[in-house]
Amino acid sequence: MHVALSAGPEFREVDYLTQVAFVADLIHETGARRVLELGCGLGFNILELARLCPQVEIVGTDLLERHVRKASARLRRHANVSVLVGSHDRLPAEIGTFDIIFAVETLCYASDRPAVAASIAQVLAPGGLLVIFDAERASNFSSLSRDTQLAAMLYEAVTVVEDGFGAADAWADAYKSARLMTQRIEDMSHATIPGLRRLYRYGARYFSDPAVRATTALLPWALKTNAVGALLGAYLMEGDFEGGDGSTSPALRYRLRVCSKQRSR
Ligand SMILES: C[S@@+](CC[C@H](N)C(=O)[O-])C[C@H]1O[C@@H](n2cnc3c(N)ncnc32)[C@H](O)[C@@H]1O
């Protein structure tokens, strides 16, 4: 899933490019020369970044060889781009160091957060920036009702986030131990709502209209479960769920985090 981030109340197709537009602005501001996208999938973000920043060397890594193959084919016309297989927790040192590393909805798949943070820190240049856009569990998640937690876990299951979205503080220690200092955290959940509501409408049609279901008959089961995720996403991100302490909050949050790597003294 790649979530659209909308500035206004209506979804627009271009909202899928908000994350990469943020990275492009940062490249222009800082004069970054080498940029790495972690978990680049089929190359959606890199394709746009290569257009916006043709002067920058862009590398993408992904765990899955088939994603790397498809992304490489899609990006073959861009001489400044390369895509390789690499897991977040074991990034090959030979790829060199980067001025900016970014990750859109991919670090949520990590189970060993300290190993991931250390591996990223190893290939981030001193003074370099790490930019993360990802979903997280709300900070009071464990005090929400069992039903709300189950709904969130079902969403995590259909989006294959096996260990569940971490809470913000689950990552904070890992980054700190890798000397990656958090400079900025921004809650962008509100910006996901127009896109998630649109997905909700698709999910509802899947379950209410046999004709729509028939068109998906040949799709693999894993893709059909996206309809369940579509029904749940907006509900979990904007719902008002009561916590054990009487406070109310959504179950999931979507955040931007920017960390910097300290320069050695
Ligand atoms: C939801 S997709 C996001 C793709 C892309 N970042 C985007 O915004 O369009 C998540 C991607 O993370 C990759 N991934 C998951 N675990 C990974 C790991 N440990 N190392 C590298 N990539 C991983 C998956 O293969 C998938 O391509």
Side-chain angles (χ1 to χ4, degrees):
M1 185 105 79
H2 172 110
V3 172
L5 297 177
S6 307
E10 299 299 330
F11 165 83
R12 298 168 314 147
E13 208 55 52
V14 71
D15 296 342
Y16 282 116
L17 298 172
T18 306
Q19 294 93 332
V20 73
F22 177 89
V23 174
D25 286 348
L26 207 55
I27 290 172
H28 291 132
E29 264 168 46
T30 59
R33 306 297 307 167
R34 293 196 86 224
V35 174
L36 170 66
E37 180 180 12
L38 299 168
C40 66
L42 305 184
F44 175 80
N45 296 317
I46 294 184
L47 189 63
E48 178 68 1
L49 201 57
R51 191 184 71 76
L52 294 172
C53 305
Q55 76 290 2
V56 170
E57 184 186 347
I58 306 167
V59 177
T61 52
D62 200 277
L63 182 66
L64 299 180
E65 213 175 308
R66 67 172 189 278
H67 285 187
V68 169
R69 246 195 338 267
K70 283 186 183 170
S72 300
R74 190 179 201 185
L75 294 159
R76 67 184 179 283
R77 283 188 227 291
H78 297 276
N80 58 329
V81 170
S82 54
V83 184
L84 26 127
V85 175
S87 180
H88 303 326
D89 54 349
R90 276 170 282 117
L91 290 165
E94 314 83 78
I95 60 177
T97 57
F98 297 87
D99 306 309
I100 292 180
I101 299 180
F102 72 102
V104 181
E105 294 155 41
T106 184
L107 294 185
C108 54
Y109 297 100
S111 45
D112 187 344
R113 295 185 179 98
V116 169
S119 160
I120 295 173
Q122 196 198 348
V123 296
L124 186 60
L129 296 173
L130 169 65
V131 177
I132 302 140
F133 287 92
D134 227 327
E136 290 168 0
R137 287 183 176 181
S139 51
N140 65 344
F141 188 83
S142 58
S143 80
L144 299 177
S145 75
R146 183 76 189 138
D147 286 354
T148 305
Q149 291 189 38
L150 275 176
M153 285 189 251
L154 178 57
Y155 184 73
E156 290 165 347
V158 296
T159 52
V160 206
V161 180
E162 285 170 5
D163 293 336
F165 296 113
D169 50 5
W171 278 105
D173 290 345
Y175 289 133
K176 209 165 161 189
S177 67
R179 301 183 64 204
L180 297 173
M181 296 324 202
T182 300
Q183 289 197 334
R184 171 175 173 184
I185 296 189
E186 196 172 322
D187 189 339
M188 307 201 71
S189 310
H190 59 282
T192 68
I193 301 303
L196 291 178
R197 284 187 184 162
R198 174 173 170 265
L199 288 179
Y200 174 87
R201 290 191 289 276
Y202 287 139
R205 277 183 56 207
Y206 177 86
F207 287 107
S208 62
D209 186 343
V212 172
R213 267 203 308 287
T215 62
T216 66
L218 295 177
L219 290 179
W221 176 247
L223 281 181
K224 293 184 203 175
T225 60
N226 281 339
V228 177
L231 283 188
L232 287 170
Y235 169 73
L236 294 165
M237 198 67 81
E238 67 176 331
D240 234 356
F241 303 106
E242 201 163 315
D245 57 0
S247 63
T248 57
S249 76
L252 297 181
R253 308 276 68 207
Y254 189 94
R255 287 206 177 91
L256 159 69
R257 179 192 287 261
V258 181
C259 300
S260 65
K261 178 168 165 175
Q262 286 182 323
R263 291 175 200 276
S264 33
R265 280 175 225 127

